[in-house]
């Protein structure tokens, strides 16, 4: 049905042409579900844009062949491509809210496609658009027809994008990271829906994702891409259980899964013994009845309701829940960026909640509580070099200056595995993993006792995530910090945390030791979260093989890769 | 939908304190200006007694607070006071001059939009092409030439050298009769009367100053259109639309352009307000009887009533303008009013 031979895609840049896809070949049979897996920059999305011929300006297919049902996609006229898009080959995208026209009713956006491909007339367009919405299981489709994207949730928007893509019964659906940014239960609902529709209509599909587990669950065959080339292809079972290429191996290892340990995420040669962290019985932080209430249109809205938590010295606690569950509000109150409506935050016996957020910046306990933010890129000042970013809290809170400051910054860089020569680079000159290190170095600079980690790896590739998680574990063992690890991903939380708190709708639904919560969840909601997470098949050898002794400390693979342009 | 109207109502309510503030500030500022109107209007041969007489007749001998209360009382009755230099009521003067300025500004802006927006769209769809370069050239030239200079060059070429344009002396050549004032816009009024000869005469007078102003306003509008279109065209929903096979026209105008309109409308509002204030030079060059030249003349001779009237009139105009922009927003963007709390 689709056959690609030696496809090369290049982009014109100021420094000459860059080859994003370097000669890939694969075939797709009718009804087959293919997965393209790779990390950022692997060329997986570019490949799909090239097939649709919707590459950004400056991009073009340089060589090779792409034939869809006898149509040469490389040489077809723009006119025939236009007829093909949406009717034969459709696409759904990541970030569904941005993928819809913000100022056009979703019903009209579906009608646009139907009318374009002459699947509807002015008279029956509305009715057919509503039918398309019903096909993607949107309840109350008639009312939703009139909605604008900003009035819908992320999952709902993705359903609309799917409705647009499937409105004209295409034969091939390309899904480009369709669930990135969606909650784990929404992800499952969306993927199940896509899968059901694809199977029911006998379509072929290409799932582009960075998530091995997701690809394993929803695809018949998988190709793994790296740096614009296919490194391995095969059935998911075989590929993951017995990966033959080193990169696939690394990717499989780095994917958090049941039964994995922190060190097993790293490539085999780098698995040193993990130093244990000491948990004392003394409480560091005691939170009692923490509540945040907003005035809403129809009465008060409880963002967080009576949150109780004790974190002992040296302990790591995971805070898990889906978007809107109040986990970010809770962490913002704990780090005193936001005032609580009620409750107390006892930090070494001092009630921090009594200090207004605006004054806490000058409080002597300020350095002791620090935060690592979700998006390493957005949380760094783009005009500050890594050195300046790390030095900033030191200057403010410790009063270091001159040579002592330089020495401390360099020490922090060493602690976090950031090569010293990168210290004078700006955020855009650093890779994702390096930026994460700068964020962590900055947070631990004032020697905090308590570190709040707000989804610190959510924006990172899995192999970088593995390195960062291990770095956090090493720092904990070395510096004796307590962590509050905020995440939506139970599989990741379990690896790093002693205890787990599961939140839903502003309330705690379950608290317990990480292993117990994972293996024997008490609440229905935790069970739902766990079952929604896609599970990658465990590699065959990793369980039987003891961690290989390494000669050097874990070295960041990210440090060796050039920064993203 | 209810959210939208609440938001619009909120905007109107917000403008009330603005207008009140403008009343106070314009009153105080005119008093703070150097120069004594009593001395000015008493003439060169005035004795101290006659100056005092003039001062009393202007009401300037009273305490400031009392002057202000009297001013506010008059305002409530729609009386903006009497211009000392022309001897005519300020309200009447503004009523005849404001339409002249507005007609000029609006014509210039329509002309400017008609050129700048398509140019910006074309430049954005073909970045780096000759259209883009032309756009850049025109925009740079337009903004770097001062309006009085462009005006004089246009007069020199089209009136003096070629003789196509009429003499640059006001809104209408003396051979025509002024149309009955309905809106005060000569183009509209003469069209309402069906007097097409006068209409054409008005247009001829209008065209050169309008071009002068339009050239000056081309730059911000074209640049913003180009930038907004580029941003809209690189948005994710454009990719979705293209992947769904929508035609180029639909993608460009139905999807990208409507989204790009939002910043363009904002810019348009800003351009309109600064042009209204800044077209005094053009009014001078073309002897245009607008409010800009009126205000400058009044300011020079410390004609309090006229200056206050002008400032108040401009403030009201800006409030209306902002309201119009917000209304335009609420039409274009369904999100308007949902986050404005």
């Amino acid at each position: 049905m689709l056959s690609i031979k030696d496809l090369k895609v290049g982009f014109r840049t100021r420094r000459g042409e860059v080859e994003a896809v370097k000669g890939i070949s694969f075939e797709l049979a009718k009804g087959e579900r293919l997965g393209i897996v790779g990390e950022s920059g692997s060329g997986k999305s570019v490949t799909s844009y090239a097939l649709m011929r919707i590459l950004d300006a400056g991009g073009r297919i340089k060589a090779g062949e792409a034939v869809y049902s006898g149509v040469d996609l490389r040489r077809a006229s723009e006119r025939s491509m236009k007829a093909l898009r949406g009717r034969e080959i459709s696409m759904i995208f990541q970030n569904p809210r941005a993928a819809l026209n913000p100022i056009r009713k979703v019903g009209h956006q579906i009608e646009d496609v139907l009318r374009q491909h002459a699947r509807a007339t002015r008279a029956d367009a509305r009715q057919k658009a509503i039918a398309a919405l019903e096909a993607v299981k949107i309840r109350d489709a008639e009312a939703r027809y009139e909605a604008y994207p900003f009035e819908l949730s992320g999952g709902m928007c993705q359903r609309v994008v799917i409705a647009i893509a499937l409105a004209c019964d295409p034969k091939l659906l390309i899904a480009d990271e369709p669930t990135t940014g969606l909650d784990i239960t929404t992800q499952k609902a969306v993927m199940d829906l896509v899968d059901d529709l694809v199977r029911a209509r006998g379509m072929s599909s290409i799932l582009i994702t960075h998530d091995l587990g997701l690809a394993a669950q929803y695809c018949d065959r998988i190709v793994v891409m790296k740096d614009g080339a296919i490194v391995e292809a095969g059935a998911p079972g075989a590929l993951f259980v017995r990966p033959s290429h080193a990169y696939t191996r690394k990717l499989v290892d780095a994917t958090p899964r049941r039964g994995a340990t922190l060190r097993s995420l790293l490539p085999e040669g780098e698995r040193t013994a993990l130093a244990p962290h000491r948990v004392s019985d003394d409480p560091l932080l005691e939170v009692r009845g923490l509540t945040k209430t907003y005035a809403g249109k129809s009465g008060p809205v409880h963002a967080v309701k009576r949150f109780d938590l004790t974190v002992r010295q040296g302990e790591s606690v995971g805070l898990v829940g889906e978007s809107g569950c109040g986990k970010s509000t809770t962490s913002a109150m704990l780090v005193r960026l936001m005032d609580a409506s009620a409750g107390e935050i006892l930090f070494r016996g001092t009630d921090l909640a009594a200090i207004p957020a605006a004054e806490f910046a000058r409080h002597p306990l300020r350095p002791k509580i620090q935060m690592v933010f979700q998006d390493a890129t957005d949380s760094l000042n783009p005009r500050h070099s890594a050195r300046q970013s790390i030095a900033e809290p030191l200057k403010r809170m410790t009063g270091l200056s001159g040579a002592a400051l330089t020495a401390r910054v360099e020490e922090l860089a060493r602690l976090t595995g950031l090569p010293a020569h990168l210290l004078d680079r700006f955020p855009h000159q650093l890779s994702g993993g390096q930026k994460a290190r700068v964020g962590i170095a900055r947070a631990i600079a004032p020697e905090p006792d308590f570190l709040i980690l707000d989804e610190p790896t959510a924006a990172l590739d899995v192999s970088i995530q593995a390195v960062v998680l291990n770095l956090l574990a090493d720092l904990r063992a070395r510096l004796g910090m307590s962590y509050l690890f905020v995440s939506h991903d139970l599989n990741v939380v379990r690896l790093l945390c002693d205890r787990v708190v599961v939140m839903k709708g502003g309330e705690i639904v379950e608290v317990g030791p990480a292993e117990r919560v994972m293996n024997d969840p008490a609440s229905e909601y935790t069970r739902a979260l766990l079952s929604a997470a896609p599970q990658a098949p465990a590699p065959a050898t990793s369980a039987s093989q003891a961690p290989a002794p390494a000669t050097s400390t874990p070295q960041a693979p990210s440090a060796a890769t050039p920064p993203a342009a | 939908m209810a959210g939208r109207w609440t938001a619009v109502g909120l905007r109107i309510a917000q403008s009330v304190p603005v207008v009140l503030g403008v009343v106070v500030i314009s009153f105080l500022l005119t008093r703070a200006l150097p120069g004594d109107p009593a001395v000015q209007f008493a003439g060169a041969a005035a004795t101290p007694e006659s100056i005092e007489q003039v001062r009393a007749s202007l009401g300037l001998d009273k305490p400031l607070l009392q002057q202000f209360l009297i001013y506010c009382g008059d305002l409530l009755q729609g009386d903006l006071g009497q211009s000392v230099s022309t001897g005519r009521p300020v309200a009447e003067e503004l009523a005849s001059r404001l339409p002249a300025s507005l007609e000029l500004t609006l014509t210039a802006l329509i002309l400017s939009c008609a050129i700048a927006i398509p140019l910006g769209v074309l430049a954005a769809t073909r970045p780096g092409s000759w259209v883009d370069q032309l756009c850049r050239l025109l925009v740079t030239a337009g903004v770097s030439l001062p309006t009085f200079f462009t005006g004089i060059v246009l007069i020199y070429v089209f009136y003096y050298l070629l003789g196509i344009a009429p003499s640059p002396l006001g809104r209408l050549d003396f051979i025509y009769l002024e149309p009955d004032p309905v809106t005060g816009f000569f183009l509209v009024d003469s069209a309402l009367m069906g007097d097409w000869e006068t209409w054409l005469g008005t247009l001829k007078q209008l065209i050169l100053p309008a071009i002068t102003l339009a050239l000056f306003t081309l730059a911000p509008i074209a640049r913003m259109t180009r930038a907004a279109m580029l941003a809209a065209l690189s948005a994710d929903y454009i990719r979705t639309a293209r992947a769904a096979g929508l035609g180029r026209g639909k993608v460009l105008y139905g999807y990208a352009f409507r989204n790009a309109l939002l910043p363009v409308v904002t810019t348009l509002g800003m351009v309109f307000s600064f042009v209204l204030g800044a077209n005094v030079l053009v009014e001078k060059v073309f002897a245009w009887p607008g409010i800009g030249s009126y205000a400058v003349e009044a300011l020079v001779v410390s004609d309090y009533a006229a200056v206050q009237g002008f400032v108040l009139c401009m403030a009201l105009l800006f409030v209306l303008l902002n309201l119009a922009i917000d209304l335009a927003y609420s039409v274009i963007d369904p999100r308007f009013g949902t986050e404005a709390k």
Side-chain angles (χ1 to χ4, degrees):
Chain A
M1 183 170 183
L2 177 70
S3 149
I4 292 172
K5 274 201 202 87
D6 206 25
L7 186 76
K8 287 181 184 171
V9 182
F11 282 92
R12 274 198 312 274
T13 67
R14 257 178 274 176
R15 278 168 296 174
E17 198 166 59
V18 174
E19 213 169 76
V21 176
K22 298 166 183 160
I24 62 166
S25 311
F26 63 83
E27 305 227 325
L28 180 70
K30 193 168 173 350
E32 193 182 16
R33 301 174 305 161
L34 179 77
I36 303 182
V37 178
E39 297 189 296
S40 49
S42 62
K44 55 192 194 302
S45 291
V46 171
T47 305
S48 62
Y49 297 162
L51 294 182
M52 295 284 273
R53 288 249 307 268
I54 53 170
L55 287 165
D56 291 335
R60 67 184 183 98
I61 301 176
K62 275 170 67 183
E65 237 176 73
V67 181
Y68 169 83
S69 302
V71 182
D72 183 346
L73 296 177
R74 186 181 165 198
R75 292 181 187 82
S77 68
E78 184 55 33
R79 196 189 174 80
S80 46
M81 280 310 294
K82 208 173 78 188
L84 211 68
R85 293 181 201 128
R87 207 176 63 190
E88 290 289 330
I89 312 176
S90 265
M91 230 175 141
I92 58 178
F93 301 93
Q94 59 178 313
N95 197 356
R97 210 184 282 275
L100 291 171
N101 187 344
I103 58 172
R104 198 164 168 77
K105 287 176 182 171
V106 295
H108 291 170
Q109 299 191 40
I110 299 174
E111 277 182 12
D112 287 341
V113 185
L114 288 167
R115 298 280 301 277
Q116 176 74 38
H117 297 294
R119 291 299 174 99
T121 59
R122 189 183 288 273
D124 63 358
R126 185 189 161 88
Q127 178 206 335
K128 285 191 175 165
I130 291 173
L133 284 172
E134 277 163 354
V136 292
K137 300 198 175 70
I138 286 182
R139 255 169 289 157
D140 204 4
E142 196 120 1
R144 293 284 170 264
Y145 172 93
E146 304 282 347
Y148 291 98
F150 74 96
E151 297 168 316
L152 302 175
S153 70
M156 202 65 100
C157 282
Q158 190 59 288
R159 282 169 198 264
V160 174
V161 175
I162 297 170
I164 290 175
L166 299 186
C168 298
D169 287 313
K171 309 284 184 299
L172 169 61
L173 178 72
I174 304 176
D176 182 11
E177 302 262 15
T179 58
T180 308
L182 297 181
D183 275 327
I184 203 134
T185 49
T186 315
Q187 160 168 307
K188 183 169 163 57
V190 165
M191 283 312 299
D192 285 348
L193 172 73
V194 170
D195 203 49
D196 288 348
L197 289 169
V198 163
R199 282 165 186 269
R201 299 180 185 203
M203 296 162 58
S204 308
S205 68
I206 298 179
L207 172 67
I208 295 165
T209 180
H210 66 278
D211 188 338
L212 278 174
L214 201 67
Q217 199 168 340
Y218 292 101
C219 298
D220 306 319
R221 200 159 56 89
I222 290 175
V223 298
V224 180
M225 279 185 79
K226 179 181 191 277
D227 297 335
I230 291 177
V231 296
E232 197 167 350
L239 201 67
F240 292 134
V241 177
R242 233 170 289 282
S244 59
H245 193 276
Y247 178 72
T248 318
R249 164 105 248 168
K250 187 174 135 190
L251 217 53
V252 170
D253 282 340
T255 304
R257 61 201 171 269
R258 230 164 270 187
T261 60
L262 268 178
R263 285 297 196 249
S264 76
L265 298 182
L266 295 173
E268 261 173 57
E270 296 167 11
R271 294 176 191 166
T272 50
L274 186 65
H277 62 287
R278 285 174 303 282
V279 180
S280 82
D281 284 335
D282 304 328
L284 177 73
L285 183 81
E286 288 172 274
V287 184
R288 304 264 172 275
L290 195 65
T291 301
K292 182 74 190 177
T293 314
Y294 294 102
K297 270 182 202 158
S298 46
V301 179
H302 299 282
V304 177
K305 267 187 265 181
R306 291 183 298 283
F307 182 90
D308 295 316
L309 177 70
T310 302
V311 181
R312 290 173 294 167
Q313 237 153 58
E315 190 184 29
S316 296
V317 178
L319 184 56
V320 182
E322 296 192 295
S323 52
C325 76
K327 58 185 194 296
S328 296
T329 310
T330 305
S331 59
M333 284 191 288
L334 291 182
V335 82
R336 303 299 300 116
L337 290 173
M338 191 190 276
D339 280 322
S341 306
E344 49 188 22
I345 304 167
L346 292 174
F347 185 79
R348 294 193 188 288
T350 312
D351 185 9
L352 301 183
I355 307 161
E359 283 168 31
F360 189 62
R362 287 180 296 278
H363 195 272
L365 282 176
R366 165 82 282 179
K368 294 294 157 197
I369 301 180
Q370 291 296 318
M371 189 158 178
V372 177
F373 297 95
Q374 177 165 13
D375 193 319
T377 310
D378 284 348
S379 61
L380 290 175
N381 185 335
R383 298 265 165 267
H384 278 186
S385 66
R387 185 188 298 281
Q388 285 170 304
S389 287
I390 300 172
E392 192 72 33
L394 287 172
K395 280 192 267 183
R396 246 192 42 66
M397 294 186 202
T398 63
L400 284 179
S401 62
L405 181 68
T406 313
R408 175 72 179 141
V409 170
E410 273 160 18
E411 185 195 343
L412 286 164
R414 209 163 38 246
L415 265 177
T416 50
L418 185 72
H421 68 271
L422 297 179
L423 274 175
D424 291 309
R425 290 205 186 169
F426 290 95
H428 69 272
Q429 297 166 313
L430 297 169
S431 72
Q434 288 160 353
K435 276 181 281 198
R437 284 167 204 272
V438 175
I440 293 170
R442 177 175 63 173
I444 64 171
E447 301 185 312
D449 295 327
F450 186 55
L451 201 58
I452 294 179
L453 306 156
D454 184 9
E455 307 239 17
T457 61
L460 301 176
D461 280 327
V462 279
S463 60
I464 313 292
Q465 165 174 287
V467 175
V468 170
L469 288 175
N470 275 286
L471 170 67
L472 287 169
D474 292 339
L475 287 173
R476 171 176 68 182
R478 210 157 150 177
L479 306 174
M481 290 180 286
S482 297
Y483 287 164
L484 182 71
F485 191 99
V486 182
S487 177
H488 67 279
D489 192 340
L490 268 170
N491 277 322
V492 171
V493 167
R494 181 187 55 90
L495 288 168
L496 199 66
C497 297
D498 309 308
R499 272 194 309 143
V500 177
V501 178
V502 182
M503 276 183 91
K504 186 195 179 197
E507 285 177 287
I508 296 178
V509 294
E510 184 164 3
V511 191
E515 284 308 317
R516 205 270 297 146
V517 173
M518 288 296 288
N519 298 328
D520 182 22
S523 99
E524 198 55 47
Y525 180 66
T526 314
R527 252 195 297 278
L529 278 185
L530 282 169
S531 69
Q535 282 293 334
T541 47
S542 76
S544 57
Q545 213 169 46
T551 47
S552 66
T553 48
Q555 183 54 46
S558 60
T561 54
Chain B
M1 290 305 107
R4 273 196 213 185
W5 291 115
T6 325
V8 169
L10 219 66
R11 291 286 186 286
I12 298 177
Q14 277 167 0
S15 61
V16 173
V18 173
V19 173
L20 290 181
V22 164
V23 170
V24 176
I25 289 172
S26 69
F27 178 83
L28 287 178
L29 271 185
T30 43
R31 261 65 182 175
L33 287 176
D36 187 341
V39 176
Q40 190 91 35
F41 293 113
T47 58
E49 291 78 43
S50 67
I51 291 176
E52 277 315 306
Q53 227 173 353
V54 172
R55 195 187 302 281
S57 72
L58 291 173
L60 295 174
D61 54 341
K62 299 188 180 73
L64 208 58
L65 189 67
Q66 201 182 345
Q67 286 186 40
F68 182 64
L69 290 177
I70 293 172
Y71 172 61
C72 288
D74 288 348
L75 265 188
L76 287 176
Q77 292 162 29
D79 182 5
L80 293 177
Q82 199 105 23
S83 164
V84 190
S85 51
T86 65
R88 292 175 62 199
V90 172
E92 195 182 288
E93 194 102 33
L94 286 177
S96 73
R97 281 171 171 268
L98 183 62
S101 282
L102 279 181
E103 186 169 41
L104 174 60
T105 310
L106 282 175
T107 314
L109 275 185
I110 291 170
L111 196 66
S112 175
C113 285
I115 300 166
I117 292 180
L119 202 61
V121 170
L122 278 175
T125 49
R126 300 173 183 78
S129 71
W130 65 268
V131 188
D132 197 11
Q133 302 299 342
L134 177 77
C135 174
R136 194 164 298 156
L137 184 82
L138 201 64
V139 151
T140 317
V143 80
S144 51
L145 298 174
T147 45
F148 59 85
F149 176 75
T150 340
I152 289 169
V153 168
L154 286 178
I155 291 172
Y156 179 71
V157 173
F158 291 98
Y159 171 65
Y160 181 74
L161 286 184
L162 299 177
I164 329 174
S167 55
L169 292 170
R171 299 180 76 183
L172 204 52
D173 209 320
F174 59 88
I175 57 167
Y176 300 104
L177 283 176
E178 282 196 17
D180 301 337
V182 182
T183 57
F185 290 26
F186 282 9
L187 279 179
V188 179
D189 288 348
S190 56
L192 283 177
M193 287 172 65
D195 183 355
W196 297 107
E197 215 172 307
T198 309
W199 191 84
L200 205 65
T202 310
L203 189 67
K204 277 183 184 167
Q205 293 292 133
L206 192 57
I207 203 85
L208 284 193
I211 289 176
T212 309
L213 261 186
L215 271 177
F216 189 61
T217 56
L218 219 52
I221 301 173
R223 291 212 78 113
M224 187 44 85
T225 310
R226 180 177 181 274
M229 268 310 268
L230 277 177
L233 281 172
S234 65
D236 284 1
Y237 54 82
I238 295 300
R239 197 178 52 198
T240 314
R242 288 177 66 199
L246 296 191
R248 187 179 159 78
K250 184 85 193 166
V251 169
L252 218 52
Y253 297 102
Y255 279 62
F257 185 61
R258 266 200 65 188
N259 275 287
L261 262 183
L262 290 169
V264 172
V265 166
T266 312
T267 315
L268 211 57
M270 270 156 43
V271 167
F272 188 88
S273 38
F274 83 62
V275 164
L276 250 189
N279 63 6
V280 53
L281 287 172
V282 178
E283 290 181 1
K284 282 280 178 208
V285 169
F286 289 92
W288 199 261
I291 52 169
S293 43
Y294 177 65
V296 169
E297 280 156 26
L299 204 59
V300 169
V301 297
S302 300
D303 191 347
Y304 285 179
V307 173
Q308 279 164 198
F310 167 76
V311 174
L312 193 63
C313 171
M314 289 303 260
L316 283 176
L317 211 59
F318 287 152
V319 166
L320 284 177
L321 180 71
N322 278 314
L323 196 65
I325 289 169
D326 280 348
L327 280 173
Y329 252 87
S330 76
V331 170
I332 300 170
D333 191 348
R335 288 165 296 185
F336 181 82
T338 51
E339 65 252 35
K341 292 273 150 61

